[in-house]
Amino acid sequence: MGIYQIAVDGPSGSGKSTLAKGVAKELGIMYLDTGAMYRTCGLAAIKRGISPKDSEKVAQMMDEMKLEVKFEDGVQHMILDGEDVTGLIRTPEVSVAASDISALPVVRQSMVSMQREIAKSQSFVLDGRDIASNVLPNAKYKFYVTAKAETRAERRLKELNERGDFSQTYEEVLRDIEYRDEQDTHREFAPLTQVPEAVVINTEDYTIEGTRDFLLSHIKED
Ligand code: DC
């Protein structure tokens, strides 16, 4: 098929990362988690003690900091100023900072150009919010993954707990998800978008394997 891209968009906790990862593995292609890049920018702001909503300070930070995406044995690592921060970007605090900072055009421009550069080197599955609508409008396959907020909050809580993080209650996780949905959907620049040609997958309807197989069936039909 040559080099091709698969776009997987959807809201927080929809299951799109698990799905995108599984699909990439099955097809023997690479997986890029674009949310991890915005999370790393959010973490950078926290580390520097600046507000992720302060566009001037963030613009200066983007100039100064060095963000790299590295793949080791196919696994994505986020490197911030030479430090591997992959294990530090999944906290609730970083989630909110990532949502805030990703609304700034200066951040999006820089991340989107890195994403396009990475995705053209070989076949990739990318997951995010604006992959089909903005990053790769010519992606060969486009999927939109969704589930209701309560289900997404339950999954997120389980994920946090499995990592030994018991800092939030279900209500707090749900509130964060609703905050991020609102912000990610209504921001001015490249919001979460369901393009008309995307195949919609409601992950409530299937198991993890079922979701993956449904997506793969659309690819193999081609
Ligand atoms: O997918 P995630 O929860 O790891 O993403 C973290 C934040 O980054 C999310 O609140 C929205 C933002 N994001 C974005 O704006 N565009 C993307 N392509 C991916 C993530």
Side-chain angles (χ1 to χ4, degrees):
M1 242 191 303
I3 292 181
Y4 64 99
Q5 284 96 26
I6 302 174
V8 180
D9 291 301
S12 308
S14 56
K16 63 184 185 307
S17 307
T18 308
L19 175 61
K21 218 180 283 176
V23 165
K25 191 167 175 219
E26 201 63 34
L27 296 171
I29 66 176
M30 301 287 283
Y31 162 59
L32 178 67
D33 171 358
T34 64
M37 299 170 71
Y38 293 100
R39 286 174 177 273
T40 304
C41 295
L43 176 69
I46 295 169
K47 276 179 175 267
R48 282 167 171 76
I50 67 175
S51 163
K53 294 183 177 179
D54 184 332
S55 56
E56 269 175 39
K57 290 214 173 95
V58 170
Q60 193 186 341
M61 177 187 93
M62 296 303 289
D63 270 348
E64 289 167 5
M65 74 180 207
K66 186 159 183 246
L67 184 149
E68 295 162 272
V69 181
K70 282 200 178 150
F71 293 94
E72 283 172 24
D73 298 326
V75 178
Q76 180 177 340
H77 287 259
M78 295 307 308
I79 316 293
L80 174 61
D81 296 322
E83 182 195 356
D84 189 330
V85 295
T86 315
L88 305 177
I89 56 172
R90 303 283 157 196
T91 65
E93 189 193 9
V94 173
S95 298
V96 173
S99 180
D100 288 339
I101 211 162
S102 69
L104 301 178
V106 64
V107 172
R108 301 206 71 82
Q109 273 157 17
S110 157
M111 293 305 108
V112 168
S113 71
M114 277 181 82
Q115 289 157 16
R116 288 183 180 143
E117 203 54 43
I118 293 169
K120 74 179 185 203
S121 62
Q122 39 186 314
S123 293
F124 261 95
V125 180
L126 282 84
D127 81 9
R129 305 292 188 289
D130 62 335
I131 307 302
S133 58
N134 179 45
V135 181
L136 301 170
N138 297 320
K140 189 165 168 68
Y141 303 100
K142 299 173 181 176
F143 297 92
Y144 188 84
V145 185
T146 177
K148 61 175 191 282
E150 288 75 11
T151 311
R152 293 186 281 122
E154 276 165 28
R155 289 182 187 154
R156 198 55 108 194
L157 184 66
K158 188 160 166 261
E159 211 177 282
L160 287 170
N161 292 350
E162 279 168 2
R163 275 203 299 274
D165 184 339
F166 295 92
S167 64
Q168 288 195 317
T169 63
Y170 168 78
E171 284 70 27
E172 286 168 331
V173 175
L174 179 62
R175 205 181 51 215
D176 274 6
I177 290 233
E178 285 170 345
Y179 172 81
R180 294 208 285 145
D181 278 358
E182 172 68 22
Q183 198 160 255
D184 298 345
T185 313
H186 294 105
R187 67 172 176 236
E188 192 176 346
F189 303 98
L192 169 63
T193 306
Q194 181 181 332
V195 296
E197 67 274 28
V199 174
V200 179
I201 306 176
N202 187 333
T203 58
E204 316 241 1
D205 299 342
Y206 305 94
T207 59
I208 290 179
E209 294 75 25
T211 314
R212 189 197 56 207
D213 293 345
F214 175 76
L215 192 154
L216 286 169
S217 71
H218 278 270
I219 289 177
K220 289 185 178 146
E221 266 173 24
D222 209 53

